[in-house]
């Protein structure tokens, strides 16, 4: 949505280096390879990968690209510490892509760059490092980017699905509706909604001059991406629960637990 009249920054929900340490410790305990692929303002950029043998879907999850959106990385951390990322898939997690933005609860990085608009021109050190890491990975069967929206009154989902693969949007919205309100506006984030809480953008997203992560992933790494948006006005625990509800139903459907 528009960036006019944004509310003043709120105190940071956590210290990035401490959160990164929790991700690294939990990842190591759960059998993930922990990789530091860059460093920003003294904080490492990290990726957690768990390659499961056999025919498993490859699932990529990212969070923390905006420093004023704490619920997504905290939701991933809860799921990681609970052992949710088991042998049902091969996992690729980038849980905190903008560590410099979190101490001041700032959307942008320390240089004032909105990192989620930098995947076409690669102006920032964070995104150059992230893209370099992505280029070393195999293609993904599914990619989900976790976000929050300070203007929204309800949860919503972007779907980029040019091959018309089976959609995960409706199950996610149904699961989140038990946790918080769903965005019901006919126009969401400046785009016409396809259904309550669901945006399926018309036109070719690759024609945009500024690419968010989801468009870059669609162009280079996958044929199915989702962007999850929880409403920042809600209490933080409720936003974390909404993110988890959407993720858990999507992943359980896409990659059922192995017996």
């Amino acid at each position: 949505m528009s960036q006019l009249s944004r509310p003043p920054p709120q105190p940071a929900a956590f210290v990035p280096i401490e959160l990164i340490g929790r991700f690294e410790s939990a990842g190591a305990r759960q059998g993930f390879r922990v990789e530091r692929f860059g460093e920003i303002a003294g904080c490492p950029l990290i990726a957690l990968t768990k390659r499961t043998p056999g025919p498993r879907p490859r699932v990529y999850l990212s969070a923390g690209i905006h420093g004023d959106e704490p619920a997504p990385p905290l939701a991933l951390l809860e799921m990681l510490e609970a052992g949710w990322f088991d042998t049902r898939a091969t996992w690729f997690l980038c849980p905190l892509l903008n560590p410099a933005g979190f101490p001041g609860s700032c959307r942008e990085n320390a240089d004032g760059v909105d990192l989620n608009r930098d995947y076409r021109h690669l102006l920032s050190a964070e995104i150059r490092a992230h893209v370099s890491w992505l280029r070393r990975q195999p293609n993904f069967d599914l990619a989900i980017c976790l976000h929050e929206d300070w203007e929204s009154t309800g949860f919503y989902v972007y779907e980029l699905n040019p091959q018309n693969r089976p959609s995960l949007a409706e199950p996610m919205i149904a699961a989140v509706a038990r946790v918080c309100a769903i965005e019901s506006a006919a126009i969401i984030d400046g785009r016409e909604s396809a259904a309550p809480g669901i945006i399926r953008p018309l036109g070719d997203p690759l024609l945009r001059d500024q690419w968010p992560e989801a468009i870059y992933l669609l162009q280079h790494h996958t044929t199915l991406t989702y962007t999850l948006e929880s409403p920042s006005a809600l209490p933080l625990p409720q936003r974390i629960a909404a993110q988890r509800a959407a993720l858990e139903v999507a992943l359980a459907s896409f990659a059922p637990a192995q017996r």
Side-chain angles (χ1 to χ4, degrees):
M1 293 189 177
S2 130
Q3 296 305 305
L4 299 178
S5 304
R6 288 181 63 82
Q10 300 299 312
F14 47 75
V15 177
I17 194 66
E18 295 177 359
L19 185 70
I20 290 166
R22 288 180 65 185
F23 271 112
E24 291 183 323
S25 296
R29 290 195 304 271
Q30 298 293 335
F32 279 80
R33 177 181 180 232
V34 179
E35 180 181 358
R36 295 186 173 191
F37 61 85
E39 183 174 304
I40 301 296
C43 288
L45 296 169
I46 64 169
L48 308 178
T49 56
K50 179 188 277 190
R51 300 177 187 269
T52 303
R56 300 287 192 273
R58 294 185 294 270
V59 178
Y60 169 84
L61 305 171
S62 75
I65 201 168
H66 289 143
D68 57 352
E69 300 177 7
L74 293 175
L76 281 185
L77 181 61
E78 283 190 4
M79 293 175 68
L80 181 66
E81 291 181 332
W84 208 95
F85 302 111
D86 56 19
T87 59
R88 74 187 70 202
T90 288
W91 303 103
F92 304 81
L93 278 61
C94 289
L96 196 65
L97 289 170
N98 180 14
F102 279 87
S105 190
C106 179
R107 176 182 176 89
E108 296 81 12
N109 72 353
D111 297 321
V113 176
D114 184 337
L115 300 181
N116 202 40
R117 300 294 182 271
D118 192 31
Y119 281 87
R120 186 164 195 167
H121 301 298
L122 309 181
L123 301 177
S124 62
E126 292 94 332
I127 302 310
R128 287 195 298 271
H130 185 216
V131 166
S132 178
W133 178 84
L134 284 167
R135 288 171 176 165
R136 299 194 298 272
Q137 313 311 313
N139 284 345
F140 311 124
D141 298 300
L142 170 67
I144 304 180
C145 306
L146 281 62
H147 283 264
E148 303 204 73
D149 187 340
W150 67 274
E151 291 179 307
S152 176
T153 59
F155 190 96
Y156 64 94
V157 174
Y158 277 95
E159 180 182 71
L160 295 177
N161 186 7
Q163 295 185 2
N164 293 315
R165 295 169 57 189
S167 177
L168 302 171
E170 286 82 0
M172 284 194 279
I173 291 299
V176 174
R178 296 190 286 269
V179 177
C180 73
I182 301 302
E183 181 57 64
S184 60
I187 302 298
I188 305 175
D189 201 14
R191 294 167 178 82
E192 184 175 352
S193 62
I198 300 174
I199 304 172
R200 295 185 174 105
L202 301 175
D204 186 351
L206 301 178
L207 297 178
R208 291 176 56 171
D209 180 61
Q210 295 182 315
W211 283 4
E213 181 188 10
I215 291 179
Y216 174 84
L217 292 168
L218 187 72
Q219 172 70 351
H220 295 288
H221 296 283
T222 188
T223 60
L224 182 62
T225 77
Y226 292 91
T227 300
L228 312 186
E229 298 274 4
S230 52
S232 299
L234 295 179
L236 181 59
Q238 189 175 12
R239 287 144 50 198
I240 294 171
Q243 294 275 343
R244 285 196 61 171
L247 270 182
E248 290 177 10
V249 74
L251 297 178
S253 174
F254 191 81
Q258 299 296 311
R259 297 185 183 277

